[in-house]
Amino acid sequence: MKMNVTLTIIQGGMREFQRTGIYPEYLLFYLPDYKRSWRVKLRKKNQNGFLKLNGENHFEYAYKNGKCKLRTCDSNSWTTIPDAILMMCD
């Protein structure tokens, strides 16, 4: 099953930079079918994790070398997110 998903990679944030000296990166997933978005802090170049819906793990993501894929937890097929939007903020 192909999912309709948009991925935005957010870089920057002055408040955290002032506090830690490191520009943070976040993955922002938006699924219009669910009218919901999730923001996940990117801590490593290769990262796996879950997105919760109603308090339960509903989606699993895998981010590796700038590429990301997503699937529902009850599915074995992954949806590759073709192009991520890169957003820099202060």
Side-chain angles (χ1 to χ4, degrees):
M1 177 177 88
K2 184 108 170 131
M3 281 188 273
N4 185 12
V5 60
T6 304
L7 174 64
T8 305
I9 299 172
I10 302 171
Q11 295 179 333
M14 287 303 293
R15 289 184 189 151
E16 188 165 341
F17 177 73
Q18 288 174 341
R19 196 174 66 244
T20 64
I22 298 169
Y23 277 108
E25 282 189 310
Y26 295 93
L27 300 175
L28 180 66
F29 296 93
Y30 176 66
L31 281 91
D33 296 340
Y34 293 87
K35 297 180 183 153
R36 179 84 200 277
S37 62
W38 292 264
R39 189 176 109 168
V40 177
K41 188 165 186 173
L42 189 58
R43 299 182 189 280
K44 301 179 268 185
K45 292 189 187 241
N46 300 333
Q47 180 171 311
N48 297 334
F50 294 94
L51 306 176
K52 293 187 177 208
L53 189 63
N54 298 327
E56 296 180 8
N57 292 342
H58 194 73
F59 299 102
E60 182 178 3
Y61 71 90
Y63 180 83
K64 185 174 184 177
N65 299 325
K67 303 288 183 189
C68 192
K69 55 187 179 177
L70 184 73
R71 71 175 182 166
T72 58
C73 287
D74 59 354
S75 170
N76 288 333
S77 62
W78 291 88
T79 298
T80 301
I81 302 171
D83 296 318
I85 300 165
L86 182 61
M87 183 187 331
M88 307 222 22
C89 59
D90 289 335

